[in-house]
Amino acid sequence: MSLATTYSPTDVEAKWYQRWQEQGFFKASANPKKTPYTVVIPPPNVTGVLHMGHMLNNTIQDVLVRRARMQGKEACWVPGTDHASIATEAKVVALLKEQGIEKRDLTREQFLTHAFEWKEKYGGIILDQLKQLGASCDWDRTRFTMEPDLTEAVLRVFVDLYKKGLIYRGVRMVNWDPESRTAISDEEVIAKDVQAKMYYLRYEIVAPGAENSEFRTQNLEPRAENSELGAVDELNQGSKLSALGSKFLTVATSRPETIMADVAVAVNPNDPRYAHLAGATVRIPLLGREIPVIFDEYVSTDFGTGALKVTPAHDLNDYELGVKHNLPVIDILADDGTLNEKAVLYVGQDRFAARKQIAKDLQEAGLLEKVEEYASIVQTSERTKAVIEPKLSLQWFLKMEHLARPALEVVENDTVRLHPPKFKNMYRAWMENVRDWCISRQLWWGQQIPAYYLPDGSFVVALTAEAALAEARVQSANPNLQLSDLRQDEDVLDTWFSSWLWPISVFDGFKDPDNADINYFYPTNDLVTGPDILFFWVARMIMAGLEYRREVPFKEVYLTGIVRDSLGRKMSKQLGNSPDPLDLIAQYGADGVRTGMLFSAPAGNDLLFDVKLVEQGRNFSNKLWNAFRLVKGWEVDAALPFANEKPVAWFNARLQAAIAELDDHFEKFRMSDALMTVYKLVWDDFCALYLEMVKPAYQHPIDAETLRHTTAYLETLLKLLHPFMPFITEELWHELAERAERDYVCVAPWPQATAPPDATRLLADMDRVLAVVAGIRTVRNQKNIGPNKPLALVAKTEDPALLARYEGIIRKLGGISELTFAEAGTAASVSFVLGGSEFFIPLEGHIDLAAERVRLEKELEYAQGFRESVQKKLGNEKFAQNAKPDVLERERQKLADAEARIAALEQAIKAL
RNA sequence: GGGAGGUUAGCUCAGUUGGUUUAGAGCGCUUGCUUCACACGCAAGAGGUCGAAGGUUCGAAUCCUUUACUUCCCA
């Protein structure tokens, strides 16, 4: 045989991917004669390269899409990328810096030119990588969130939502990322536990109406020189405190560097410790500025000292307190996280450097009472990991309430189903507590907000500058207003403000809301993505879909797990525990990698990736390859009669049952189980059993009828496997037979399960026959008898006809040379009992009578115990009354089986 | 701190409306095997008192209560 004993994927994969594309199999167009099946890809970042998460996600999508295509649906998988404003801008800025170009020296247009150049050069990498995985996307439909049409869609939506009063502009406390120097949305903030420090600061009390500044410093004792700053120290001495207590108010804070932005100290009005401070002011340590003591029940008496410094510019709660008490706002932080001139002290220092320095200075000034360890939480940027600053800033927001209500409704009533359903709870919690979405970003890479400011500071919102001008002329009642008088908002929109339109915008549903594609392909069917972007993206797509199409964007959402390493750790560059997907494909083949990923990917569970899984996938490819080699190598002798009626009928029954099971798994999005069903069908049923039953002896020909059935089965298996392993199945499809021009397994019809009328009996009979075979093989193993040594089998059974019908199979798989029926076995035999039947294998010289007796008696004892427990149950009156008839019947059957088995065992023991 | 999951064989997971000395799968493990498609293989086998305690029931991995551990979401 010329075919290699191991399958080599690399030779095969590129070839077939190219052929599929040449044939246009992945192209989809509105076709009223077919049912549409649509998937939009979660657009990867244009800066991205393929990682293991993409592999899993896109493998699942491809499996679904390929199956739908074979089912005769008009399968449309739309690929594309998103512009990832923060990540891409950072990347381009860094690249320019390497070339000696600073962003601030460029105009917006110049920068965007650079950025688009970069995108053209590198932006398609990840899509090409998907092709190596086998992704059957309609590449002609590739979209990019910042291309002109999609940009227009974003702007149209912005204008529309503004006109509907859902978008507003205002000063709000936002999450400021000092590293990317932009506001980000609540969803882009990740809370992290940290071990922080709580600083207890002394604010000098200025008595009501009196100027007693002589207390300022002289009553302070110098701190011990060796007192380590940062350690929890012992300064909290009662005597000293009480002495100082009357002159100082101690305030606990984790952010001492923000005292320069303090505008008050707040205490609870019910706190007796501070009642005397009514009308008092205190001096900010080091700075000396006087600020009032205010009273508010918001302050909790048991946190810190019960006194709270109020810094409205840098804390949301403080801001609200400030508004309530009419306090000023002092913002001491610059956009990059350094202190600005309003801070007066530490100007130009980074906030963390300033914190260290001020702690030191406070300590030296005797104004730091103590420092405590403090388990705290910091908010960090999902994208840059920088610590977020709450910052008051003028931003654009989208009101969520109106959009969230219907979007929650459709998930609650299962119009959109989440898989696994446990995510419904999470979704509900988010939807019910959703806050307005900050959609403006202080960046250039993205869609510039279509708001245009008039010279008088008012603004208009319009799709184009020209439209804005027309509106501005009306609004200002100034017909002489010129384009040059208008200034467009500098900010761009959040990338998710593009992505949430994706299922509509990729079909041009905004530009042309009634076009054939959108009407046909929308709503899409399945969405496959990670739960980490359930809110970012999935929820918002549902909102946009309902708002703009009055229809949900997809019906089923499959949420994958996270790919982790075998120790359960997230894959990261730092740990270096993430394999390069392309290396894996090169080493094990795309089919091997795809199946490897799916083997351990139950829905919603994290996938603990182990290269062994991919090895298993490769081994499976190889198994299939060798099954093909065997069949391909058979010579036909047309004169031979059909010799394998039983195996052929049985395998058909198995096959049909497996197809039904497979379809059921797909229905329930149990991808891992679906794969396992085919895996076992191929490996166990087809290779280990069926092929072994029908294969002719070495160098003997096969009859034509058997070959015809076997080839047909193999073809069906290739179809069932194709969604999982597209490459090897296509290769074998064409190796197996000469194919017509467009006859590819890629577009072959998906097999329909049609169980033969006698399936139940066929399967049950074969189970009994295979149990006999297993019994024989166990004897061989126990007695160390190789498979080539022929054995005789004597059966004592109430159903000899069954064994007679399947004698050929028993002979072949069991290595049995002679099957006879008798009423008793011979003493020099090894016996085994199945149900009520006894089987004897005469083995002169291999028999240890005593050991045989012990073994059989052990089995007997077990069977008797079993019988007893069943009898006990059947004897229980309450059981007889309450149990359903079928349960009762099953128990009676068990009893009968047990009795037959006991009788057979007793016989066998007697025969010894 | 609030909420939602999970805890079943060494590992990763199934287990549908409670039905049993027999709770399944894949991988791994053990033993034997150059059986002429495949050692990326073949055959056989071992391995679990279903986190713990209590309860309901004729009967509980499955229902209820308490508890421990763990993951995630929100604050």
Side-chain angles (χ1 to χ4, degrees):
Chain A
M1 176 167 310
S2 60
L3 294 165
T5 57
T6 49
Y7 170 64
S8 160
T10 38
D11 306 341
V12 165
E13 295 183 350
K15 172 179 73 183
W16 291 117
Y17 201 87
Q18 199 192 335
R19 296 271 183 88
W20 291 326
Q21 286 203 278
E22 285 164 6
Q23 294 285 353
F25 290 144
F26 304 159
K27 287 185 189 165
S29 55
N31 178 354
K33 286 181 193 150
K34 291 167 91 177
T35 311
Y37 175 83
T38 316
V39 171
V40 292
I41 202 168
N45 289 354
V46 73
T47 59
V49 291
L50 205 63
H51 58 62
M52 297 305 286
H54 293 125
M55 299 280 278
L56 174 64
N57 185 270
N58 288 291
T59 295
I60 292 169
Q61 287 174 75
D62 196 45
V63 171
L64 295 172
V65 169
R66 282 183 184 270
R67 175 165 173 270
R69 187 177 293 121
M70 292 173 74
Q71 284 175 316
K73 295 176 184 166
E74 188 67 18
C76 179
W77 184 9
V78 183
T81 47
D82 81 22
H83 60 278
S85 57
I86 294 178
T88 307
E89 180 148 333
K91 211 158 224 180
V92 174
V93 166
L95 194 80
L96 289 172
K97 200 168 193 150
E98 273 176 32
Q99 300 168 5
I101 304 169
E102 292 292 331
K103 181 189 166 190
R104 61 170 174 270
D105 296 333
L106 298 175
T107 64
R108 185 183 200 107
E109 283 64 36
Q110 287 170 328
F111 177 81
L112 287 178
T113 305
H114 282 294
F116 271 111
E117 272 173 16
W118 183 90
K119 185 256 164 188
E120 284 313 311
K121 205 163 166 189
Y122 301 106
I125 290 178
I126 193 159
L127 299 180
D128 284 330
Q129 292 177 325
L130 285 176
K131 293 176 186 169
Q132 292 194 45
L133 185 66
S136 62
C137 303
D138 182 351
W139 298 105
D140 294 347
R141 293 180 179 271
T142 305
R143 305 309 287 260
F144 172 53
T145 50
M146 242 171 87
E147 67 177 63
D149 281 350
L150 269 61
T151 292
E152 191 191 309
V154 168
L155 300 183
R156 273 177 192 276
V157 166
F158 183 94
V159 172
D160 178 70
L161 292 173
Y162 177 76
K163 300 255 147 96
K164 287 173 176 162
L166 294 176
I167 283 180
Y168 64 92
R169 184 175 185 246
V171 175
R172 297 287 185 283
M173 192 64 83
V174 297
N175 307 296
W176 187 264
D177 179 346
E179 184 148 335
S180 55
R181 300 188 199 184
T182 175
I184 58 177
S185 71
D186 295 331
E187 289 68 43
E188 288 166 293
V189 174
I190 295 171
K192 264 195 193 152
D193 289 317
V194 287
Q195 195 55 44
K197 293 184 174 68
M198 186 62 85
Y199 301 84
Y200 287 75
L201 313 184
R202 290 170 173 152
Y203 285 60
E204 183 196 342
I205 297 165
V206 184
E211 277 292 324
N212 45 355
S213 55
E214 67 269 12
F215 286 125
R216 266 192 77 173
T217 53
Q218 63 261 41
N219 286 338
L220 297 168
E221 292 173 31
R223 294 286 312 273
E225 289 300 312
N226 60 356
S227 173
E228 276 265 326
L229 185 75
V232 177
D233 63 38
E234 71 305 325
L235 242 175
N236 199 357
Q237 295 151 3
S239 58
K240 195 181 288 173
L241 249 194
S242 60
L244 296 169
S246 56
K247 300 175 189 75
F248 289 92
L249 176 59
T250 303
V251 176
T253 178
S254 59
R255 303 199 59 189
E257 75 280 11
T258 63
I259 59 171
M260 287 84 79
D262 285 354
V263 295
V265 170
V267 295
N268 193 301
N270 303 316
D271 192 336
R273 291 175 296 177
Y274 301 121
H276 65 287
L277 292 178
T281 60
V282 294
R283 283 186 212 281
I284 296 174
L286 298 178
L287 196 62
R289 190 171 72 232
E290 259 182 67
I291 52 175
V293 176
I294 62 168
F295 292 81
D296 196 293
E297 306 216 333
Y298 162 77
V299 182
S300 64
T301 53
D302 52 3
F303 185 83
T305 62
L308 174 77
K309 66 197 260 328
V310 182
T311 319
H314 302 299
D315 183 280
L316 180 58
N317 296 316
D318 288 14
Y319 176 72
E320 280 161 6
L321 208 54
V323 170
K324 189 169 162 193
H325 291 269
N326 228 337
L327 297 167
V329 174
I330 303 171
D331 183 348
I332 62 164
L333 279 177
D335 289 352
D336 60 356
T338 61
L339 274 59
N340 65 24
E341 66 288 348
K342 294 229 184 69
V344 182
L345 304 172
Y346 313 108
V347 174
Q349 287 193 30
D350 182 77
R351 57 215 154 123
F352 298 113
R355 183 178 304 170
K356 276 191 181 158
Q357 188 58 46
I358 196 171
K360 213 165 159 190
D361 293 347
L362 284 163
Q363 186 188 28
E364 277 167 14
L367 296 168
L368 182 62
E369 189 178 302
K370 62 173 175 177
V371 179
E372 279 179 350
E373 293 293 326
Y374 172 58
S376 174
I377 292 161
V378 294
Q379 305 294 335
T380 60
S381 164
E382 187 249 349
R383 187 57 60 189
T384 66
K385 314 292 175 210
V387 173
I388 291 300
E389 287 296 334
K391 187 178 162 73
L392 266 187
S393 123
L394 184 58
Q395 303 284 349
W396 293 87
F397 294 88
L398 173 58
K399 289 185 191 170
M400 296 304 270
E401 205 192 334
H402 161 84
L403 295 166
R405 214 176 307 121
L408 175 57
E409 174 69 22
V410 293
V411 170
E412 290 285 17
N413 67 22
D414 287 333
T415 309
V416 175
R417 296 197 299 170
L418 306 184
H419 303 274
K422 67 178 176 185
F423 286 107
K424 212 166 159 177
N425 291 325
M426 237 170 87
Y427 183 88
R428 182 188 311 115
W430 186 76
M431 274 300 183
E432 285 175 347
N433 298 296
V434 65
R435 283 171 293 179
D436 288 356
W437 176 11
C438 176
I439 53 174
S440 44
R441 298 289 181 274
Q442 287 65 55
L443 299 166
W444 281 346
W445 180 242
Q447 286 99 8
Q448 193 173 357
I449 291 179
Y452 298 82
Y453 298 93
L454 281 63
D456 66 3
S458 66
F459 65 85
V460 293
V461 169
L463 195 57
T464 62
E466 290 71 27
L469 179 61
E471 242 179 83
R473 281 176 175 163
V474 175
Q475 182 172 309
S476 63
N478 175 4
N480 298 323
L481 213 58
Q482 298 302 311
L483 265 183
S484 56
D485 295 326
L486 297 181
R487 185 180 53 80
Q488 187 174 359
D489 197 293
E490 289 293 319
D491 290 350
V492 299
L493 289 159
D494 182 5
T495 307
W496 297 106
F497 198 84
S498 302
S499 309
W500 77 320
L501 309 176
W502 188 247
I504 305 173
S505 61
V506 295
F507 297 114
D508 293 322
F510 291 98
K511 188 171 78 177
D512 185 3
D514 202 28
N515 78 71
D517 272 3
I518 187 90
N519 286 338
Y520 184 73
F521 290 115
Y522 189 96
T524 72
N525 296 72
D526 302 336
L527 179 80
V528 181
T529 190
D532 49 332
I533 53 174
L534 186 59
F535 310 138
F536 276 108
W537 192 47
V538 180
R540 288 171 182 160
M541 278 191 287
I542 296 175
M543 294 178 188
L546 291 171
E547 181 73 15
Y548 287 102
R549 300 295 305 179
R550 302 283 150 215
E551 242 183 322
V552 296
F554 30 72
K555 293 150 206 151
E556 315 282 343
V557 180
Y558 180 97
L559 296 154
T560 64
I562 296 165
V563 183
R564 298 173 180 276
D565 70 9
S566 51
L567 299 173
R569 300 174 303 182
K570 267 193 184 177
M571 293 202 161
S572 75
K573 276 186 191 161
Q574 284 167 348
L575 281 173
N577 58 350
S578 177
D580 179 343
L582 298 182
D583 282 355
L584 281 178
I585 289 177
Q587 217 178 328
Y588 297 98
D591 293 327
V593 178
R594 291 164 62 111
T595 47
M597 304 286 306
L598 285 181
F599 273 132
S600 74
N605 279 356
D606 287 355
L607 183 155
L608 301 193
F609 180 81
D610 193 319
V611 83
K612 281 194 167 149
L613 293 166
V614 175
E615 248 176 62
Q616 193 187 347
R618 180 212 44 195
N619 294 353
F620 186 41
S621 298
N622 198 52
K623 187 71 187 174
L624 186 65
W625 170 254
N626 275 290
F628 156 75
R629 280 179 68 220
L630 176 67
V631 175
K632 186 75 180 171
W634 285 337
E635 298 288 331
V636 188
D637 183 343
L640 287 175
F642 181 33
N644 290 295
E645 196 183 331
K646 289 285 174 224
V648 164
W650 166 77
F651 186 74
N652 182 49
R654 270 303 302 135
L655 179 63
Q656 300 307 325
I659 294 171
E661 193 184 321
L662 180 64
D663 284 340
D664 185 53
H665 284 316
F666 270 118
E667 204 69 27
K668 293 170 178 155
F669 285 88
R670 300 177 155 199
M671 310 297 284
S672 198
D673 294 320
L675 173 60
M676 192 48 71
T677 299
V678 203
Y679 180 83
K680 287 197 278 196
L681 176 69
V682 170
W683 201 305
D684 298 343
D685 295 321
F686 188 67
C687 293
L689 296 174
Y690 174 79
L691 288 180
E692 292 299 331
M693 290 175 198
V694 303
K695 89 176 174 191
Y698 183 54
Q699 289 186 333
H700 283 63
I702 195 158
D703 69 81
E705 187 71 356
T706 301
L707 181 62
R708 191 176 65 77
H709 284 292
T710 306
T711 306
Y713 289 152
L714 189 49
E715 283 197 352
T716 303
L717 293 176
L718 292 179
K719 290 183 200 173
L720 297 176
L721 282 167
H722 180 76
F724 303 102
M725 316 179 88
F727 293 107
I728 187 174
T729 50
E730 196 67 83
E731 171 76 6
L732 296 185
W733 185 261
H734 292 269
E735 286 288 336
L736 204 55
E738 282 296 313
R739 302 286 173 182
E741 171 69 15
R742 285 174 63 79
D743 182 0
Y744 283 67
V745 69
C746 176
V747 289
W750 185 252
Q752 297 280 323
T754 42
D758 52 349
T760 313
R761 196 178 54 82
L762 282 171
L763 294 173
D765 283 356
M766 188 59 91
D767 279 349
R768 293 173 66 186
V769 169
L770 291 175
V772 175
V773 171
I776 298 162
R777 286 173 169 177
T778 302
V779 171
R780 283 186 186 276
N781 252 282
Q782 282 168 351
K783 302 294 173 193
N784 228 329
I785 301 163
N788 288 331
K789 182 177 161 53
L791 297 173
L793 182 68
V794 180
K796 174 179 180 300
T797 171
E798 70 277 15
D799 189 6
L802 173 73
L803 295 187
R805 279 204 301 279
Y806 287 88
E807 183 172 346
I809 289 171
I810 294 170
R811 280 172 176 270
K812 201 162 188 176
L813 299 193
I816 295 300
S817 54
E818 192 187 358
L819 172 63
T820 51
F821 297 95
E823 278 309 304
T826 54
S829 299
V830 181
S831 65
F832 57 95
V833 172
L834 295 169
S837 303
E838 296 163 64
F839 298 89
F840 303 91
I841 298 175
L843 275 176
E844 294 286 354
H846 283 85
I847 309 300
D848 176 348
L849 282 178
E852 282 300 307
R853 182 178 291 278
V854 167
R855 185 175 62 80
L856 289 169
E857 278 176 348
K858 221 168 148 188
E859 276 189 56
L860 179 63
E861 201 180 316
Y862 180 89
Q864 284 167 335
F866 182 75
R867 176 178 61 183
E868 200 180 319
S869 79
V870 179
Q871 277 172 335
K872 212 164 150 190
K873 174 167 267 188
L874 283 166
N876 184 324
E877 257 182 57
K878 284 197 174 171
F879 174 73
Q881 283 166 12
N882 296 326
K884 285 178 216 150
D886 61 311
V887 173
L888 217 56
E889 182 48 43
R890 217 180 312 156
E891 292 301 320
R892 292 208 183 94
Q893 187 58 49
K894 270 193 217 164
L895 184 61
D897 289 350
E899 266 157 5
R901 183 173 170 78
I902 286 165
L905 282 165
E906 282 168 345
Q907 284 284 330
I909 291 168
K910 210 189 288 173
L912 282 176

